[in-house]
Amino acid sequence: MVIEYSGIVVRSVLTDKREKFYDSKGIGCYMFRMDAAEVVDATMHGSAARFINHSCEPNCYSRVIHVEGHKHIVIFALRRIHRGEELTYDYKFPIEEPAAKLPCNCGAKRCRRFLN
Ligand SMILES: [Zn+2]
């Protein structure tokens, strides 16, 4: 285990409203979808896990685990990670239409070119 992606658990239906609010204030938005119903919003209150970037060839992965009846998003190491090495995981965004594609700049040899 590397770190928990902690923040405020919000219902999925509220994420658009929150994102628009953060955009209007010029605040970078950090959210992680836990499942179809819930999202962890780490924008205002969250762990440093929100700063971990995506990579198509990551050294970590994310899992939703259950602890005493509560869901947690946890980042685990995929392999030995050396001191000073950037932590990354695959965001696994759902595939979108070409117009909504987000370009990937991860720099990996086998980069998929898009995050979604
Ligand atoms: Zn990439």
Side-chain angles (χ1 to χ4, degrees), residues 19-112:
E19 206 171 334
K20 279 182 190 141
F21 172 77
Y22 295 142
D23 280 350
S24 75
K25 300 287 181 195
I27 300 167
C29 181
Y30 297 92
M31 293 192 194
F32 193 120
R33 176 170 295 283
M34 202 144 45
D35 54 30
E38 292 180 320
V39 171
V40 172
D41 181 353
T43 306
M44 301 304 283
H45 305 277
S47 68
R50 69 182 187 270
F51 299 120
I52 301 176
N53 285 316
H54 162 88
S55 174
C56 297
E57 291 182 286
N59 54 16
C60 297
Y61 65 95
S62 64
R63 279 287 177 281
V64 175
I65 63 165
H66 295 78
V67 179
E68 295 178 357
H70 296 280
K71 284 177 269 186
H72 298 265
I73 300 165
V74 179
I75 309 300
F76 292 99
L78 261 175
R79 58 167 172 76
R80 185 180 174 84
I81 296 169
H82 302 282
R83 184 187 299 245
E85 189 179 347
E86 181 183 358
L87 301 175
T88 57
Y89 63 91
D90 188 336
Y91 286 3
K92 296 186 175 172
F93 285 168
I95 304 295
E96 299 275 359
E97 296 296 312
K101 289 279 187 199
L102 296 169
C104 182
N105 300 306
C106 78
K109 282 180 186 168
R110 287 179 290 182
C111 177
R112 297 189 301 268

